Amino acid sequence: MIELYSLEVSTYSAKVRIALGLKNIACKILPPPGGYSTQEYMQLVPTGTIPALHVDGHYFSESDVIMEYLEEAYPQTPLLPEDHLLRAQHRFLARYHDLWLEPHLRRTFEHVDPKTRDSDALNQHLDKFEERLQKLETLFSAKPFMLGKTMGYADCAFAATIELADILLPVFGRQFTLGKNLTLWRDAVQNNPVAKEVTDQSRAATIEWLQSGGG
Ligand SMILES: N[C@@H](CCC(=O)N[C@@H](CS)C(=O)NCC(=O)O)C(=O)O
């Protein structure tokens, strides 16, 4: 059976776990051996990041690479449509998440503890995140999912990150507001039992992490 190295607190892992659930793929979910970024784990997964997939002695990371592998190796319940242009739109939105939006939220983690907070650096990332969230509102038109009537590749990318922003922005005194499009989309995602279960676990793990001081 394939194995996914993942932690509930990880939004990139949540993306892949939602895809596994939607496609009903049998997969063992495990924490990274030794913890992420450790020498022990990097012997298996050179980047040291989660998620990573283990298939027959082969290990690879990068959530979008794993998503593409799952799509090709398990064609049931496709998360990418047949139409080439729509496929490109899904991939664009998923890249927008990974390269343009989420990294600014991630860069706030180091400022959770007020004792070590650099307010200027923090505010720059919060401003960028909010700006790019507003832009995301204009990049699709909820159907109710980003590009269609069923959950797809693009939707998996944002599901846990939006829930993380809902929890994290108020910690820094910022308001979490979504436009009409993203609100419709978020409701649809939260009505999907697979996405709800994964994002609920991710929310609970994030709250626990914050309560422990966010270190
Ligand atoms: N681009 C990577 C990002 C993955 C990532 O940053 N994962 C975090 C956890 S959510 C991680 O493993 N951090 C450990 C590190 O950066 O060393 C992907 O899409 O898989």
Side-chain angles (χ1 to χ4, degrees):
M1 191 193 295
I2 62 171
E3 294 179 337
L4 181 77
Y5 296 131
S6 147
L7 293 173
E8 287 182 352
V9 76
S10 158
T11 49
Y12 287 95
S13 302
K15 178 208 289 195
V16 174
R17 286 171 53 225
I18 293 171
L20 287 167
L22 292 173
K23 285 175 154 305
N24 204 13
I25 298 171
C27 178
K28 205 165 172 183
I29 314 263
L30 302 165
Y36 62 71
S37 300
T38 59
Q39 282 306 323
E40 180 183 341
Y41 183 52
M42 282 194 278
Q43 281 178 2
L44 301 175
V45 177
T47 56
T49 54
I50 49 169
L53 201 66
H54 173 205
V55 183
D56 293 336
H58 299 278
Y59 297 84
F60 54 96
S61 57
E62 283 305 314
S63 56
D64 267 4
V65 175
I66 299 172
M67 293 289 283
E68 300 271 348
Y69 173 80
L70 296 178
E71 196 59 16
E72 289 169 7
Y74 300 87
Q76 74 267 21
T77 319
L79 301 178
L80 282 171
E82 297 230 326
D83 180 83
H84 290 291
L85 196 54
L86 260 181
R87 290 166 84 86
Q89 288 169 353
H90 270 277
R91 289 181 172 121
F92 167 71
L93 285 172
R95 296 298 188 284
Y96 185 83
H97 170 270
D98 287 12
L99 302 179
W100 292 78
L101 180 74
E102 197 277 350
H104 290 292
L105 197 56
R106 174 164 305 270
R107 293 296 301 278
T108 68
F109 297 172
E110 62 205 82
H111 305 290
V112 163
D113 182 351
K115 292 196 287 296
T116 52
R117 185 172 295 168
D118 174 342
S119 294
D120 288 345
L122 169 65
N123 285 326
Q124 276 180 25
H125 287 296
L126 288 169
D127 290 347
K128 270 283 181 225
F129 180 80
E130 286 179 9
E131 182 193 301
R132 290 181 175 179
L133 190 61
Q134 277 172 27
K135 181 160 288 189
L136 176 62
E137 176 73 18
T138 69
L139 296 180
F140 70 99
S141 175
K143 290 176 185 57
F145 295 103
M146 284 184 169
L147 297 165
K149 288 191 169 55
T150 54
M151 264 196 91
Y153 190 93
D155 307 292
C156 295
F158 292 95
T161 297
I162 294 301
E163 299 310 313
L164 174 64
D166 181 28
I167 295 171
L168 213 48
L169 294 193
V171 169
F172 301 120
R174 296 280 182 128
Q175 252 199 318
F176 173 72
T177 38
L178 294 178
K180 198 171 143 219
N181 227 357
L182 273 163
T183 302
L184 277 172
W185 168 83
R186 184 188 187 197
D187 287 350
V189 169
Q190 289 302 311
N191 276 323
N192 178 292
V194 169
K196 169 122 178 75
E197 187 182 351
V198 172
T199 57
D200 279 355
Q201 287 168 355
S202 168
R203 282 186 73 101
T206 303
I207 289 166
E208 200 179 307
W209 170 71
L210 284 173
Q211 282 168 350
S212 73

